[in-house]
Amino acid sequence: MNGLVSLIGAGPGNPELLTLLGKRRLEEADVIVYDRLVNPALLSPFVAEKIDVGKMPLHHKISQYQINDMLVDLSKQGKRVVRLKAGDPYVFGRGGEEGQYLSQHQIPFEVVPGLTSAIAGLAAAGIPITHRDFASSFHVITGHRKANGEELDWENIAHQEGTIVFLMGMAQLPNIAKQLVAHGMASDTPVAVVQWATHWKQRSISSDLANVVQTVEKMHISSPALIVVGGVVKLMGDLQPHRPLQGLHFLIPFKQDSKLFNALQDEGAAVNFFDRRVKKPLAFELPDFDAGGVLIVTDFAAFHYFQERLLTLGIDNRALANWKLVASNHIVKYRLQQDGLLADGLYDPKKLDYKRPIVFIGERLALSNYNVDVAAKADYLATYQSETINQNIDLNDFHGIVFPSSASVTDLYTGCTSEERELMSKMSCFAMGQTVANECQKLGLKNVIEVKPSYDNVIQTVKKVFAR
Ligand code: SAH
């Protein structure tokens, strides 16, 4: 059966500006085919295969025909496909053509709208696209000249009431400014240019038609950018958001942690997660519950899979009544407690009762750290296996790294090339807790800032370090 293709709008860039349906489809997808402007931070939580079809300009680019065929082929393989486009899929960017092609090939497809940069991108720079005092209409225009070199209808455009927004217009900016003035617009009409709206690297300038080309050159603003013409630009001063960590970009080399993400994002920072691991549950033999013994939980996720398995068999935690429960560390102990289980103690190989059956629960490879040298053989229950997935992340894009655990330090470090390690060693590394800081130092990271492990402390320390 052909798989559903969802044409999804990713919104202007900030990963939280995605619709709920878009998010669900990304979770369900087998494969995500995405464009150049899509923020990598939006993609990183999803485990689907990811295909980048929008290489940077001047590099080899996959043609629109190839993309269309790729969508059809993937669907015919029965895959659930997400075609992810910046902004709204039907605002420029050829989403409509892709839909037509799918429809002609009898491929089931849907469109999931997104926030177009033409509106949301302006708002992020403090420009409301309409305003009672300045504009009662808006016009979104492509600045990309047609293939046959035909000019836009400048006479018409220059005489519109309201805000004019040009997309894909940067290469044409001198012509746009010239034509608007030549067709009757005042040369002091306000103009703003907003680059990478809602991304961490967002920058904007305001000017007027006479000076905008110069200002843009001076400030080195380039594509992708929105060109906004009209009185609403005057509101930028009043409506521009000012948040303390605006413009800063942090990497958290760990699975998506919504609290840390929210805490940083609420202060204006942008965050990308880098979880190189996915957990694959494994089949395993259950211990003889009646025999009783010592159950050592080496990591909470592993215990979670164990419990899930019990539940599918109609058994719950009461099956462990004859067992002593031992946690490998305080965090595991705490997590067990949150689950309503009080551990009998913390793991100490010297204090184990070797006369009773011993069962270790953990991740497949990590369990080898618990080889106890005992006459009575211990049992090892690997309830899941952690697998590495490749995430392309450029460390140059980040101002700092927040490490929530020692594993996050080693995981990122081992996955880095020697140049990346060199770069990492100079970056501001916020280590949540002393153990994590020690791990950073052990690996030779030089700029390590130890932070008491709470979200609030992370925010306060980051603010201090980056205070301007
Ligand atoms: N479908 C998209 C537009 C695709 S055309 C949408 O609805 O937003 C690509 C153009 O969109 C770029 O050349 C640029 O002009 C604009 N654009 C998209 N995202 C942008 C962003 N985050 N910041 C500034 N311009 C953006």
PDB file of all heavy atoms in Angstrom, residues 342-360:
ATOM      1  N   LEU A 342      10.821   2.032  46.756  1.00  0.00           N
ATOM      2  CA  LEU A 342      11.932   2.485  47.601  1.00  0.00           C
ATOM      3  C   LEU A 342      13.071   1.472  47.503  1.00  0.00           C
ATOM      4  O   LEU A 342      12.904   0.312  47.876  1.00  0.00           O
ATOM      5  CB  LEU A 342      11.469   2.609  49.053  1.00  0.00           C
ATOM      6  CG  LEU A 342      10.437   3.719  49.311  1.00  0.00           C
ATOM      7  CD1 LEU A 342       9.917   3.654  50.737  1.00  0.00           C
ATOM      8  CD2 LEU A 342      11.050   5.089  49.019  1.00  0.00           C
ATOM      9  N   ALA A 343      14.217   1.914  46.977  1.00  0.00           N
ATOM     10  CA  ALA A 343      15.351   0.987  46.856  1.00  0.00           C
ATOM     11  C   ALA A 343      15.851   0.608  48.252  1.00  0.00           C
ATOM     12  O   ALA A 343      15.785   1.418  49.181  1.00  0.00           O
ATOM     13  CB  ALA A 343      16.461   1.645  46.052  1.00  0.00           C
ATOM     14  N   ASP A 344      16.346  -0.632  48.371  1.00  0.00           N
ATOM     15  CA  ASP A 344      16.863  -1.074  49.675  1.00  0.00           C
ATOM     16  C   ASP A 344      18.268  -0.557  49.913  1.00  0.00           C
ATOM     17  O   ASP A 344      18.788  -0.673  51.020  1.00  0.00           O
ATOM     18  CB  ASP A 344      16.849  -2.605  49.747  1.00  0.00           C
ATOM     19  CG  ASP A 344      15.430  -3.138  49.684  1.00  0.00           C
ATOM     20  OD1 ASP A 344      14.683  -2.900  50.650  1.00  0.00           O
ATOM     21  OD2 ASP A 344      15.052  -3.741  48.659  1.00  0.00           O
ATOM     22  N   GLY A 345      18.898  -0.066  48.874  1.00  0.00           N
ATOM     23  CA  GLY A 345      20.244   0.458  49.077  1.00  0.00           C
ATOM     24  C   GLY A 345      20.881   0.814  47.769  1.00  0.00           C
ATOM     25  O   GLY A 345      20.282   0.661  46.694  1.00  0.00           O
ATOM     26  N   LEU A 346      22.114   1.340  47.864  1.00  0.00           N
ATOM     27  CA  LEU A 346      22.866   1.688  46.666  1.00  0.00           C
ATOM     28  C   LEU A 346      23.867   0.578  46.367  1.00  0.00           C
ATOM     29  O   LEU A 346      24.353  -0.098  47.272  1.00  0.00           O
ATOM     30  CB  LEU A 346      23.611   3.006  46.867  1.00  0.00           C
ATOM     31  CG  LEU A 346      22.754   4.265  46.864  1.00  0.00           C
ATOM     32  CD1 LEU A 346      23.623   5.492  47.056  1.00  0.00           C
ATOM     33  CD2 LEU A 346      21.960   4.390  45.563  1.00  0.00           C
ATOM     34  N   TYR A 347      24.192   0.435  45.122  1.00  0.00           N
ATOM     35  CA  TYR A 347      25.069  -0.660  44.683  1.00  0.00           C
ATOM     36  C   TYR A 347      26.479  -0.527  45.243  1.00  0.00           C
ATOM     37  O   TYR A 347      27.120   0.518  45.122  1.00  0.00           O
ATOM     38  CB  TYR A 347      25.122  -0.665  43.152  1.00  0.00           C
ATOM     39  CG  TYR A 347      26.066  -1.708  42.592  1.00  0.00           C
ATOM     40  CD1 TYR A 347      25.857  -3.066  42.831  1.00  0.00           C
ATOM     41  CD2 TYR A 347      27.153  -1.317  41.812  1.00  0.00           C
ATOM     42  CE1 TYR A 347      26.726  -4.010  42.316  1.00  0.00           C
ATOM     43  CE2 TYR A 347      28.022  -2.257  41.280  1.00  0.00           C
ATOM     44  CZ  TYR A 347      27.809  -3.603  41.541  1.00  0.00           C
ATOM     45  OH  TYR A 347      28.658  -4.533  41.034  1.00  0.00           O
ATOM     46  N   ASP A 348      26.927  -1.608  45.872  1.00  0.00           N
ATOM     47  CA  ASP A 348      28.299  -1.682  46.357  1.00  0.00           C
ATOM     48  C   ASP A 348      28.710  -3.146  46.238  1.00  0.00           C
ATOM     49  O   ASP A 348      28.197  -3.995  46.971  1.00  0.00           O
ATOM     50  CB  ASP A 348      28.343  -1.216  47.822  1.00  0.00           C
ATOM     51  CG  ASP A 348      29.761  -1.310  48.383  1.00  0.00           C
ATOM     52  OD1 ASP A 348      30.627  -1.925  47.713  1.00  0.00           O
ATOM     53  OD2 ASP A 348      29.988  -0.784  49.484  1.00  0.00           O
ATOM     54  N   PRO A 349      29.617  -3.475  45.275  1.00  0.00           N
ATOM     55  CA  PRO A 349      29.924  -4.894  45.025  1.00  0.00           C
ATOM     56  C   PRO A 349      30.394  -5.624  46.279  1.00  0.00           C
ATOM     57  O   PRO A 349      30.184  -6.832  46.416  1.00  0.00           O
ATOM     58  CB  PRO A 349      31.029  -4.833  43.961  1.00  0.00           C
ATOM     59  CG  PRO A 349      31.393  -3.414  43.773  1.00  0.00           C
ATOM     60  CD  PRO A 349      30.362  -2.553  44.418  1.00  0.00           C
ATOM     61  N   LYS A 350      30.993  -4.872  47.206  1.00  0.00           N
ATOM     62  CA  LYS A 350      31.519  -5.540  48.419  1.00  0.00           C
ATOM     63  C   LYS A 350      30.403  -5.953  49.374  1.00  0.00           C
ATOM     64  O   LYS A 350      30.570  -6.818  50.196  1.00  0.00           O
ATOM     65  CB  LYS A 350      32.493  -4.602  49.144  1.00  0.00           C
ATOM     66  CG  LYS A 350      33.792  -4.415  48.389  1.00  0.00           C
ATOM     67  CD  LYS A 350      34.789  -3.607  49.222  1.00  0.00           C
ATOM     68  CE  LYS A 350      35.546  -2.630  48.335  1.00  0.00           C
ATOM     69  NZ  LYS A 350      34.967  -1.300  48.257  1.00  0.00           N
ATOM     70  N   LYS A 351      29.275  -5.295  49.217  1.00  0.00           N
ATOM     71  CA  LYS A 351      28.194  -5.564  50.181  1.00  0.00           C
ATOM     72  C   LYS A 351      27.116  -6.490  49.622  1.00  0.00           C
ATOM     73  O   LYS A 351      26.067  -6.661  50.227  1.00  0.00           O
ATOM     74  CB  LYS A 351      27.558  -4.237  50.603  1.00  0.00           C
ATOM     75  CG  LYS A 351      28.465  -3.407  51.488  1.00  0.00           C
ATOM     76  CD  LYS A 351      27.684  -2.359  52.234  1.00  0.00           C
ATOM     77  CE  LYS A 351      28.642  -1.461  52.994  1.00  0.00           C
ATOM     78  NZ  LYS A 351      28.370  -0.047  52.765  1.00  0.00           N
ATOM     79  N   LEU A 352      27.373  -7.074  48.450  1.00  0.00           N
ATOM     80  CA  LEU A 352      26.336  -7.926  47.868  1.00  0.00           C
ATOM     81  C   LEU A 352      26.221  -9.254  48.609  1.00  0.00           C
ATOM     82  O   LEU A 352      27.221  -9.808  49.060  1.00  0.00           O
ATOM     83  CB  LEU A 352      26.662  -8.214  46.399  1.00  0.00           C
ATOM     84  CG  LEU A 352      26.274  -7.152  45.383  1.00  0.00           C
ATOM     85  CD1 LEU A 352      26.635  -7.626  43.984  1.00  0.00           C
ATOM     86  CD2 LEU A 352      24.776  -6.857  45.462  1.00  0.00           C
ATOM     87  N   ASP A 353      25.004  -9.716  48.697  1.00  0.00           N
ATOM     88  CA  ASP A 353      24.776 -11.019  49.329  1.00  0.00           C
ATOM     89  C   ASP A 353      24.873 -12.090  48.231  1.00  0.00           C
ATOM     90  O   ASP A 353      23.922 -12.312  47.488  1.00  0.00           O
ATOM     91  CB  ASP A 353      23.378 -11.009  49.966  1.00  0.00           C
ATOM     92  CG  ASP A 353      23.023 -12.360  50.556  1.00  0.00           C
ATOM     93  OD1 ASP A 353      23.874 -13.290  50.472  1.00  0.00           O
ATOM     94  OD2 ASP A 353      21.909 -12.487  51.092  1.00  0.00           O
ATOM     95  N   TYR A 354      26.051 -12.710  48.148  1.00  0.00           N
ATOM     96  CA  TYR A 354      26.305 -13.608  47.012  1.00  0.00           C
ATOM     97  C   TYR A 354      25.608 -14.956  47.137  1.00  0.00           C
ATOM     98  O   TYR A 354      25.674 -15.777  46.242  1.00  0.00           O
ATOM     99  CB  TYR A 354      27.811 -13.789  46.810  1.00  0.00           C
ATOM    100  CG  TYR A 354      28.468 -12.506  46.344  1.00  0.00           C
ATOM    101  CD1 TYR A 354      29.339 -11.802  47.150  1.00  0.00           C
ATOM    102  CD2 TYR A 354      28.167 -11.996  45.082  1.00  0.00           C
ATOM    103  CE1 TYR A 354      29.913 -10.622  46.736  1.00  0.00           C
ATOM    104  CE2 TYR A 354      28.732 -10.811  44.663  1.00  0.00           C
ATOM    105  CZ  TYR A 354      29.608 -10.126  45.484  1.00  0.00           C
ATOM    106  OH  TYR A 354      30.148  -8.964  45.052  1.00  0.00           O
ATOM    107  N   LYS A 355      24.982 -15.189  48.268  1.00  0.00           N
ATOM    108  CA  LYS A 355      24.288 -16.475  48.415  1.00  0.00           C
ATOM    109  C   LYS A 355      22.918 -16.440  47.716  1.00  0.00           C
ATOM    110  O   LYS A 355      22.350 -17.465  47.443  1.00  0.00           O
ATOM    111  CB  LYS A 355      24.136 -16.804  49.910  1.00  0.00           C
ATOM    112  CG  LYS A 355      25.495 -17.131  50.560  1.00  0.00           C
ATOM    113  CD  LYS A 355      25.368 -17.664  51.952  1.00  0.00           C
ATOM    114  CE  LYS A 355      25.160 -16.617  53.026  1.00  0.00           C
ATOM    115  NZ  LYS A 355      26.131 -15.535  53.086  1.00  0.00           N
ATOM    116  N   ARG A 356      22.457 -15.250  47.457  1.00  0.00           N
ATOM    117  CA  ARG A 356      21.135 -15.140  46.823  1.00  0.00           C
ATOM    118  C   ARG A 356      21.301 -14.882  45.320  1.00  0.00           C
ATOM    119  O   ARG A 356      22.319 -14.349  44.891  1.00  0.00           O
ATOM    120  CB  ARG A 356      20.355 -13.984  47.451  1.00  0.00           C
ATOM    121  CG  ARG A 356      20.268 -14.075  48.962  1.00  0.00           C
ATOM    122  CD  ARG A 356      19.403 -12.975  49.510  1.00  0.00           C
ATOM    123  NE  ARG A 356      18.005 -13.156  49.125  1.00  0.00           N
ATOM    124  CZ  ARG A 356      17.045 -12.257  49.364  1.00  0.00           C
ATOM    125  NH1 ARG A 356      17.360 -11.130  49.958  1.00  0.00           N
ATOM    126  NH2 ARG A 356      15.816 -12.488  49.012  1.00  0.00           N
ATOM    127  N   PRO A 357      20.309 -15.227  44.527  1.00  0.00           N
ATOM    128  CA  PRO A 357      20.407 -14.908  43.097  1.00  0.00           C
ATOM    129  C   PRO A 357      20.564 -13.397  42.901  1.00  0.00           C
ATOM    130  O   PRO A 357      19.918 -12.606  43.589  1.00  0.00           O
ATOM    131  CB  PRO A 357      19.065 -15.358  42.524  1.00  0.00           C
ATOM    132  CG  PRO A 357      18.503 -16.303  43.525  1.00  0.00           C
ATOM    133  CD  PRO A 357      19.049 -15.923  44.863  1.00  0.00           C
ATOM    134  N   ILE A 358      21.458 -13.041  41.987  1.00  0.00           N
ATOM    135  CA  ILE A 358      21.679 -11.620  41.708  1.00  0.00           C
ATOM    136  C   ILE A 358      21.316 -11.345  40.257  1.00  0.00           C
ATOM    137  O   ILE A 358      21.766 -12.070  39.358  1.00  0.00           O
ATOM    138  CB  ILE A 358      23.160 -11.247  41.942  1.00  0.00           C
ATOM    139  CG1 ILE A 358      23.514 -11.461  43.412  1.00  0.00           C
ATOM    140  CG2 ILE A 358      23.436  -9.802  41.531  1.00  0.00           C
ATOM    141  CD1 ILE A 358      24.988 -11.328  43.707  1.00  0.00           C
ATOM    142  N   VAL A 359      20.514 -10.344  40.040  1.00  0.00           N
ATOM    143  CA  VAL A 359      20.128 -10.002  38.668  1.00  0.00           C
ATOM    144  C   VAL A 359      20.421  -8.518  38.420  1.00  0.00           C
ATOM    145  O   VAL A 359      19.976  -7.657  39.177  1.00  0.00           O
ATOM    146  CB  VAL A 359      18.622 -10.289  38.430  1.00  0.00           C
ATOM    147  CG1 VAL A 359      18.212  -9.827  37.042  1.00  0.00           C
ATOM    148  CG2 VAL A 359      18.316 -11.759  38.610  1.00  0.00           C
ATOM    149  N   PHE A 360      21.205  -8.258  37.384  1.00  0.00           N
ATOM    150  CA  PHE A 360      21.461  -6.872  36.977  1.00  0.00           C
ATOM    151  C   PHE A 360      20.530  -6.525  35.816  1.00  0.00           C
ATOM    152  O   PHE A 360      20.424  -7.304  34.866  1.00  0.00           O
ATOM    153  CB  PHE A 360      22.899  -6.708  36.477  1.00  0.00           C
ATOM    154  CG  PHE A 360      23.934  -6.729  37.565  1.00  0.00           C
ATOM    155  CD1 PHE A 360      24.497  -7.930  37.983  1.00  0.00           C
ATOM    156  CD2 PHE A 360      24.343  -5.549  38.157  1.00  0.00           C
ATOM    157  CE1 PHE A 360      25.462  -7.949  38.981  1.00  0.00           C
ATOM    158  CE2 PHE A 360      25.314  -5.555  39.156  1.00  0.00           C
ATOM    159  CZ  PHE A 360      25.873  -6.756  39.570  1.00  0.00           C
TER     160      PHE A 360
END
